[in-house]
Amino acid sequence: MNITSVNHPSMPRYSFPVYCFLLFLITGGRLLGVNGEKKDFYIVFLSDQSANQESKTSTHIGILSALKGSEFDAKESHVYSYTKSFNAFAAKLTESEARELSGMDGVQSVIMNRYRKLHTTRSWDFIGLPQTARRKRFESNIIVGVMDTGVTPQSDSFNDDGFGPPPAKWKGSCRHFANFSGCNNKLIGAKYFKLDGIPDPNDILSPVDTDGHGTHTSSTAAGNLVRDAELFGLAKGTARGAVPSARVAMYKVCWASSGCSDMDLLAGFDAAIHDGVDVISISIGGLTGSYTNDTISVASFHAMNNGILTVASAGNDGPSFGSVANHAPWLLTVAASGIDRGFQSKVVLGNGNIVTGIGINGFEPKQKFYPITSGNDVAINTESKESAGFCIEETLDPSKVKGKLVQCKLGTWGSDSVIKGLGGIGAIIESEMFLDTAQIFMAPATMVNTTTGESISKYIHSTRSPSAVIYKSEEVNVSAPFIATFSSRGPNPGTKHVLKPDIAAPGVDILASYTPLQTLTGLKGDTQYSKFTIMSGTSMACPHVAGTAAYVKSFHPNWSPAAIKSAIMTSARPMSKRVNHEAEFAYGAGQLNPRRAVNPGLIYDMDNMSYVQFLCHEGYDGPSIASLIGSKSKINCASLLPPLVSEDAINYPSMQLTLKNDKAISTGIFRRTVTNVGRAKCTYNAIIRAPKGVNVTVEPTTLSFSHTLQRRSFKVMVNAESNASRKLLVSGSLIWRSFRHVVRSPIVVFNPQELGVDVE
Ligand SMILES: *[C@@H]1O[C@H](CO)[C@@H](O)[C@H](O)[C@H]1NC(C)=O
Ligand SMILES: *[C@@H]1O[C@H](CO)[C@@H](O)[C@H](O)[C@H]1NC(C)=O
Ligand SMILES: *[C@@H]1O[C@H](CO)[C@@H](O)[C@H](O)[C@H]1NC(C)=O
Ligand SMILES: *[C@@H]1O[C@H](CO)[C@@H](O)[C@H](O)[C@H]1NC(C)=O
Ligand SMILES: *[C@@H]1O[C@H](CO)[C@@H](O)[C@H](O)[C@H]1NC(C)=O
Ligand SMILES: *[C@@H]1O[C@H](CO)[C@@H](O)[C@H](O)[C@H]1NC(C)=O
Ligand SMILES: *[C@@H]1O[C@H](CO)[C@@H](O)[C@H](O)[C@H]1NC(C)=O
């Protein structure tokens, strides 16, 4: 996994847990066998998916017995059997045992368990889903499954007043657990999975959310209405999910001690698919393997095979190119956008100058002014002067910090906690990045840009007794939408043929429910608690789209996962290339538009074999694809490839042509089929927007339909001069327009030379 984000504070709230989990990997994650040979957890997928549950488990022990030579050793090594929706098991094995196992009869694949990280009031109105939006009574039959850190059952967002019993299809369950009062008719399911068995005092073995992340995401997707939600009087309004009448099922797979392990994730998916959820929301990422051995990719493929769309966060490793995670074509991958509301604090300097900073600071000043100093100036000795500039705890002299505001450069998160811990008042944090995201402080603090930082520094050094005061934060209007700095960008590292991310949704400064078991910042010395909090991340964007998928499904219960995804993508609002320089690599099809998504006109549908064909085209071989779908029958790629090679062999709602470096002109042909889900009789005309240096033609240019669910195919030819621009990407679009509908697909031409990477 990419660990740069540990020191690179892309996600304020998570720097601490991620850190813990890395330590865990180094120390506790490895288990030593009796003979001293290192053991790890492995997940073993078997080829026969049709077996019944009991026979699966005994087969697992049988296979391990054959490997180990005794049933006793087999049982000791066996950790868990996935029997509901998968035929797989987890076991503690040495590397050589894992290798031996992968060659055994009936074993499809063996992958090592890895640990992953977790990646309002106003956001729904901003994207156009008001409280008064048209709703289906069927909404109460929809179940949103969330893989996360657990849930807070007593939260007002999960109040079940007026809810009937769970829909008949629900096969899940929920019990009383430690610190967990149980479920109701809104929160209908809650389970936890912690298979590594490694104890940690911060973990409560129960679905209860001791972190806050899971309560926040699940209430964003499908929380009930809560009036007068707010934090410090900010972001006041009615908090709600996309589908307030839908049901929520929580699968706790992330832990304070270890992050989110593949073994636990797979167990969560196994249960969720069996329990009968309609949509899965997963704000977890960090790993990108091949599509056939990445757990989220494999598990979500099984979900798709069972008619369940998995919506996933794109990751918080932006703005670097190629940082997008969860990029399998059957996932709906979500980038984070900002809404039109920000939080700022006014800072008044002793000389009367007023500057502003970003962040959520709930403290009213008690004095008119406080003395202010700069971190560099209060170093414990001259050697630590530079680190002191970043307000690293050990490098500061407490006697010089006491009673003061300190100006710090952004190094790690929590300068406010450091300064407060040393007896100081608070901090002014200077940063070049992340000024589009408000973090919550546990002491008077705010974040300023470097220009403002320099002017404050100048002031501090211009007078004998500098002073300043930071006021409580206020809500301000900002221009929006924009893609957040932290949101991971394309191009897709998994395939050059599928554009990722797919869609953008609000993920900056989102107010939603929180846990009473964690302070607002999770930082040392924080004593602030709240029923609601404001968080940022693609983690917050993901449940907006998962909730919207549930909303679409409440209108169209029989639509396939690909149909729902297509509806959400082709109805998205175009976003500005001027504001977001990475264009589609930042926002995919554009900004989520829930109300239009329920009535898209046309859909780009796909079934499981469409994805198999795509993987064949990508060069995956039959056996590795079989491991993904868990099918005993052989996949013969040669028989599945389309007769005329097209650019991407997939009926995706967006198109990406990757330029070939050695050709003056690159050509791509995209074959697509759309299904009419609008009025029976209708005609669509193609509107093409092509960027300079790129020619796009479509054949035919008119699609006429005479009945619903009728399918029509067309062909898009893209010719691009390799030297058309010296840009990483140029883009246009294909719009199918009828009297009632606009069905829009982005067309991206990606020039890998500009990234300095070679694609084939
Ligand atoms: C997954 O597959 C890729 C490519 O085949 C390989 O490099 C990687 O090591 C595999 N990862 C695991 C966990 O097996
Ligand atoms: C969880 O429950 C136990 C036993 O009821 C109690 O002692 C403990 O304080 C609770 N923990 C939290 C975090 O509430
Ligand atoms: C820095 O912040 C100040 C105050 O918000 C603003 O006026 C100024 O334009 C910003 N400068 C840059 C370079 O972003
Ligand atoms: C912010 O926008 C809202 C609604 O667009 C408007 O009512 C309000 O006056 C604006 N506030 C400021 C400070 O501009
Ligand atoms: C595809 O899905 C259908 C059900 O829709 C299922 O019967 C079939 O086994 C699946 N095929 C593969 C290769 O997974
Ligand atoms: C790009 O290449 C073509 C042919 O190779 C040439 O005719 C054209 O002038 C070039 N365009 C630019 C902008 O260099
Ligand atoms: C695009 O079409 C124009 C006009 O037919 C032609 O001159 C040009 O060479 C074409 N460019 C590419 C990249 O195919």
Side-chain angles (χ1 to χ4, degrees), residues 577 581 659 724-730 749-752 754:
K577 283 179 207 161
H581 297 299
L659 294 181
S725 77
R726 302 243 56 98
K727 282 193 189 150
L728 187 68
L729 82 161
V730 292
V749 177
F750 163 42
N751 186 353
E754 293 301 309

Side-chain angles (χ1 to χ4, degrees), residues 18-35:
V18 167
Y19 211 74
C20 288
F21 123 62
L22 283 174
L23 290 176
F24 166 84
L25 262 189
I26 296 156
T27 59
R30 290 275 154 91
L31 309 151
L32 293 183
V34 255
N35 56 2

